């Protein structure tokens, strides 16, 4: 109930943010522009539309999560609205979870809207409803949920600009960290290899949620991968949120 | 009578700056607020009043000491379930209307829909915001925001109400209304703990006060014990007598036209002035003895500390 109230007010606040609509506009523009790009490209035009469309949803979804998420908790502290909230019988953990869920709800609505535009465009081009594309979008959303948790974590102790940089860094590292597994394979056993292996384990691997290539090219995906990717996303999100609560509980609001 | 709020040896330091320097804000605060009383917490700016309030609301973690709210530790959210709080300069979500904001705060206390609607209607009437209830808070004046803040502090029908500068920014009529509301709380059996810079208001409605200076409680007790009924001086306004005639009779504070304002420090001076007025066929316009006020005690305490 209390988490729901905080989530509701966060959703209300997020949907008033002009940045959200600006990003949504560019995402929609990117999706629609994929059809123009397809006309200019030699090869399978449908694949270009799907590739560019999914990439638009991914890039602008991540930007929404970071740019709005990093200001969420900070704004409450900066505008001092938090004084009134935490004076109520509300655990600080409930506050953080409410903020997180409010933004997740906002991103869900935005992702659904972007996905709808994308599916309509694909339908216009192929005259088929391609449900498989929704799998890729769903896992993009799981990635957005994790990035939202990271944005809330940084927002709980840092300024929006620094938090945005940290969260963007997390996202970039998350998409490049799979390369560390290849490095481990090529290294000779020893301390260095152990260190790189630890790093590869600790750093997030956001490529776990990337099913774009498989879906666009119609490649088979073993069912176990779906489950393990979802579990990975949920566990990592829970870990990041636990960290955010731990930091937030220790804060003084002067 | 049981204590609604008990603070024991509360201490808090802040470490600020690039090379952290320690600032001792609270240096062992101890006092208790009894159930059903109106308690005033006074102090100059920076004395530690708001820090004390933030500690007892759990917004700041104290370095040492204990805080009990209605018999429970301040750390327990259940202790805050029976507590209402109005912050200094209330900051709320300005895009919400007062009705929406009260509904949101009602949700934080888990009120059901019917109960919430009834309380919102009652509170909007109590603070005089019925007609502005559906306007966004950003369109409110400071006084109206203060009223909305008071309403949200009461949504849970609290036993203990903590008000940080509730009379700040209010016009004289608004101040009187808020004072009346605070007194009504007492009649309903609620306990009120509040800070204010307006000492006349505190003197008018408080049962007991504590004065904090430099992070320490320097005076505390019942108002009637602190403020004596001893006459400090008598002020006389006299007309039709030359100011020079009062030489040796108290202190001439001001002269306006043929009016002289005198401050007289003992009764023989009062008699002397009355004789002088009679003999010179002057007029005595007013004669008012000034007893000790809370402001005198506050100024004396702060200056001495």
């Amino acid at each position: 109930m209390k988490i729901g109230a905080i989530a509701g007010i966060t959703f209300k606040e997020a949907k008033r943010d002009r940045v959200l609509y600006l990003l949504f506009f560019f995402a929609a523009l990117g999706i629609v522009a994929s059809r123009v790009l397809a006309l200019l490209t030699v090869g399978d035009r449908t694949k270009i539309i799907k590739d560019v469309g999914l990439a638009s949803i991914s890039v602008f979804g991540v930007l929404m999560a970071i740019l709005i998420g990093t200001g969420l908790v900070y704004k409450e502290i900066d505008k001092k609205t938090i004084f009134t909230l935490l004076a109520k019988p509300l655990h600080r953990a409930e506050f953080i979870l409410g903020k997180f869920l409010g933004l997740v709800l906002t991103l869900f609505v935005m992702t659904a809207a972007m996905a709808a535009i994308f599916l309509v465009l694909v339908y216009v081009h192929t005259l088929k409803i391609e449900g498989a594309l929704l799998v890729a979008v769903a896992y993009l959303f799981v990635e957005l949920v994790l990035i939202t948790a990271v944005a809330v974590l940084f927002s709980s102790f840092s300024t929006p600009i620094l938090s945005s940089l940290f969260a963007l860094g997390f996202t970039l590292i998350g998409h490049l960290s799979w390369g560390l597994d290849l490095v481990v394979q090529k290294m000779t056993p020893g301390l260095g290899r152990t260190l790189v292996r630890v790093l590869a384990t600790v750093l997030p691997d956001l490529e776990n949620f990337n099913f774009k290539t498989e879906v666009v090219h119609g490649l088979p995906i073993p069912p176990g991968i779906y489950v393990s990717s979802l579990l990975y996303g949920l566990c990592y999100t829970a870990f990041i949120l636990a960290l955010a609560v731990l930091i937030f509980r220790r804060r003084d609001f002067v | 009578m049981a204590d609604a709020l008990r603070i024991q040896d509360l201490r808090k330091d802040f470490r600020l700056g690039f090379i952290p320097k320690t600032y001792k804000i609270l240096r062992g605060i101890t006092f208790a607020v009894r159930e059903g009383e109106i308690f005033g917490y006074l102090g100059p700016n920076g004395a530690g009043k708001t820090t004390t309030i933030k500690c007892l609301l759990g917004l700041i973690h104290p370095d040492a000491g204990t805080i009990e709210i209605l018999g429970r530790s301040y750390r327990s959210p259940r202790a805050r379930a029976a507590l209402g709080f109005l912050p200094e300069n209330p900051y709320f979500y300005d895009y919400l209307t007062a009705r929406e904001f009260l509904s949101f705060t009602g949700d934080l206390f888990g009120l059901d829909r019917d109960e919430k609607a009834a309380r919102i209607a009652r509170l909007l009437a109590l603070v005089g915001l019925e007609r502005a209830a559906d306007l966004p808070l950003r369109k409110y004046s400071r006084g109206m925001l203060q009223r909305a803040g008071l309403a949200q502090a009461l949504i849970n029908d609290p036993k203990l109400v903590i008000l940080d500068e509730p009379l700040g920014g209010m016009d004289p009529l608004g101040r009187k209304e808020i004072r009346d509301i605070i007194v009504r709380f007492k009649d309903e059996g609620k306990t009120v703990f509040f800070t204010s810079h307006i000492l006349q208001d505190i003197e008018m409605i408080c049962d007991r006060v504590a004065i904090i200076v430099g992070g320490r409680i320097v005076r505390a007790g019942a108002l009637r014990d602190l403020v004596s009924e001893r006459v400090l001086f008598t002020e006389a306004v006299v007309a039709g007598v030359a100011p020079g005639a009062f030489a040796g009779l108290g202190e001439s504070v001001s002269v306006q036209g043929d009016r002289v304002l005198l401050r007289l420090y003992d009764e023989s001076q009062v008699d002397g002035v009355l004789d002088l007025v009679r003999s010179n066929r002057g007029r005595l316009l007013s004669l008012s003895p000034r007893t000790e006020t809370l402001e005198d005690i506050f100024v004396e305490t702060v200056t001495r500390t």
Side-chain angles (χ1 to χ4, degrees):
Chain A
M1 180 79 171
K2 292 174 197 170
I3 294 177
I6 301 284
I9 206 89
T10 306
F11 178 66
K12 239 177 198 175
E13 189 156 3
K15 74 179 186 190
R16 293 180 70 253
D17 201 325
R18 286 181 192 157
V19 172
L20 187 71
Y21 297 104
L22 193 71
L23 291 171
F24 180 75
F25 170 75
F26 281 112
L29 199 69
I31 294 166
V32 174
S34 65
R35 190 162 161 80
V36 182
L37 267 180
L39 292 174
L40 301 172
T41 314
V42 180
D44 190 342
R45 289 176 175 174
T46 311
K47 282 179 184 163
I48 297 291
I49 290 174
K50 291 177 182 172
D51 253 341
V52 176
L54 285 171
S56 291
I57 296 174
S58 171
V59 168
F60 288 101
V62 166
L63 286 177
M64 283 177 195
I66 292 178
L67 293 180
I68 297 174
T70 50
L72 272 185
V73 179
Y74 180 82
K75 256 194 261 177
E76 296 271 5
I77 299 167
D78 190 47
K79 291 187 174 176
K80 300 182 180 177
T81 44
I82 200 158
F83 293 170
T84 319
L85 296 189
L86 294 186
K88 309 276 185 267
L90 184 75
H91 284 284
R92 290 191 181 189
E94 290 175 317
F95 175 80
I96 288 287
L97 287 179
K99 285 271 139 196
F100 166 74
L101 290 176
L103 186 54
V104 165
L105 180 64
T106 313
L107 290 173
F108 177 77
V109 172
M110 286 293 149
T111 309
M114 289 190 285
I117 296 172
F118 174 54
L119 285 180
V120 167
L121 194 82
V122 172
Y123 177 77
V124 168
H125 196 78
T126 62
L127 296 178
K128 278 192 291 183
I129 295 172
E130 300 213 22
L133 290 172
L134 282 179
V135 174
V137 175
Y139 276 86
L140 279 179
F141 179 68
V142 176
E143 180 185 337
L144 294 186
V145 170
L146 172 53
I147 292 171
T148 302
V150 172
V152 169
L153 164 69
F154 290 125
S155 177
S156 66
F157 66 88
S158 185
T159 60
I161 293 176
L162 278 179
S163 302
S164 297
L165 290 175
F166 291 147
L168 203 62
F170 176 93
T171 310
L172 289 177
I173 290 169
H175 279 291
L176 299 173
S177 63
W178 61 274
L180 288 175
D181 288 331
L182 298 179
V183 174
V184 169
Q185 284 169 21
K186 300 214 167 172
M187 285 177 86
T188 50
L191 182 66
R193 185 171 153 165
T194 311
L195 282 177
V196 176
R197 194 187 289 276
V198 168
L199 211 59
T201 312
V202 172
L203 288 177
D205 185 358
L206 298 182
E207 286 300 307
N208 276 325
F209 313 118
N210 184 359
F211 292 102
K212 290 197 277 281
T213 312
E214 289 83 348
V215 167
V216 169
H217 295 273
L219 303 174
I221 305 168
I225 297 285
Y226 287 129
V227 178
S228 63
S229 290
L230 185 63
L231 278 177
Y232 178 79
L234 292 178
C235 291
Y236 216 111
T237 303
F239 168 70
I240 297 288
L241 284 177
L243 210 59
V245 168
L246 211 64
I247 292 170
F248 195 66
R249 278 178 64 174
R250 296 171 63 90
R251 275 203 69 162
D252 278 343
F253 300 104
V254 182
Chain B
M1 198 180 282
D3 290 333
L5 175 66
R6 185 198 294 268
I7 295 181
Q8 196 81 38
D9 197 25
L10 188 66
R11 289 170 192 276
K12 180 67 188 175
D13 295 350
F14 286 120
R15 277 164 285 280
L16 302 172
F18 184 68
I19 299 166
K21 192 179 164 195
T22 301
Y23 294 88
K24 290 186 181 298
I25 306 299
L26 301 180
R27 302 163 185 248
I29 299 281
T30 299
F31 66 87
V33 179
R34 294 173 197 146
E35 271 181 16
E37 75 176 356
I38 302 179
F39 190 94
Y41 196 44
L42 323 180
N45 289 337
K49 299 188 298 289
T50 301
T51 305
T52 311
I53 290 182
K54 283 182 179 173
C55 281
L56 66 94
L57 293 170
L59 293 167
I60 287 177
H61 301 289
D63 295 332
T66 57
I67 304 171
E68 273 182 29
I69 300 171
L70 299 161
R72 292 179 196 278
S73 162
Y74 76 102
R75 286 196 179 90
S76 158
R78 285 177 68 190
R80 295 198 293 274
L83 187 147
F85 169 58
L86 169 69
E88 184 182 4
N89 303 321
Y91 303 93
F92 307 126
Y93 302 105
D94 59 4
Y95 52 88
L96 295 182
T97 65
R99 198 183 300 281
E100 287 170 339
F101 182 61
L102 289 178
S103 172
F104 167 62
T105 50
D107 288 340
L108 295 179
F109 285 99
L111 300 182
D112 67 50
R113 188 186 288 249
D114 292 341
E115 193 182 2
K116 195 169 71 178
R119 285 196 192 181
I120 290 172
R122 190 173 62 80
L123 288 172
L124 287 171
L126 179 76
V127 298
L129 282 178
E130 283 163 304
R131 290 174 67 189
D134 297 308
L135 279 179
L137 294 173
R138 68 170 167 273
K139 297 200 169 166
Y140 277 28
S141 66
R142 186 146 184 252
M144 287 164 83
L145 272 180
Q146 201 81 350
R147 288 160 192 263
L150 195 60
Q152 66 80 31
L154 301 174
I155 192 78
N156 56 328
D157 192 19
K159 286 184 183 158
L160 171 63
V161 188
I162 296 173
L163 309 169
D164 196 1
E165 295 289 346
L167 304 156
M170 307 289 282
D171 57 34
L173 198 66
R175 265 171 53 194
K176 186 188 175 308
E177 282 174 14
I178 299 290
R179 273 201 315 262
D180 291 346
I181 291 174
I182 293 175
V183 172
R184 203 184 310 169
F185 291 162
K186 188 184 169 178
D187 296 340
E188 290 172 7
K190 296 186 198 308
T191 310
V192 183
F193 174 82
F194 85 104
T195 68
S196 178
H197 283 112
I198 306 166
L199 298 177
Q200 293 94 323
D201 290 321
I202 290 202
E203 195 165 4
M204 246 182 258
I205 58 176
C206 283
D207 298 304
R208 292 196 309 135
V209 296
I211 301 176
I212 174 174
V213 182
R216 287 193 180 93
I217 299 288
V218 289
R219 266 183 115 157
L223 255 181
R224 63 176 176 279
D225 297 336
L226 293 179
V227 182
S228 71
E229 289 177 2
R230 177 170 63 93
V231 176
L232 294 176
F233 54 83
T234 303
E235 277 186 343
V237 181
V238 176
V241 180
F246 297 107
L249 287 174
E251 176 190 344
S252 168
V253 178
S254 71
V255 179
Q256 278 184 331
D258 71 338
R259 291 181 175 202
V260 183
L261 171 63
L262 295 164
R263 190 167 286 174
L264 313 167
Y265 292 97
D266 62 55
E267 280 190 26
S268 67
Q269 288 180 331
V270 175
D271 291 337
V273 168
L274 291 177
D275 292 344
L276 205 63
V277 170
R278 275 190 222 107
S279 60
N280 285 279
R281 297 186 172 237
R283 283 171 292 141
L284 178 68
L285 300 177
S286 78
L287 190 68
S288 45
R290 245 283 260 123
T291 51
E292 198 173 36
T293 63
L294 183 59
E295 188 171 332
D296 298 321
I297 293 180
F298 180 75
V299 171
E300 185 221 320
T301 307
V302 171
T303 314
R304 188 158 36 92
T305 315

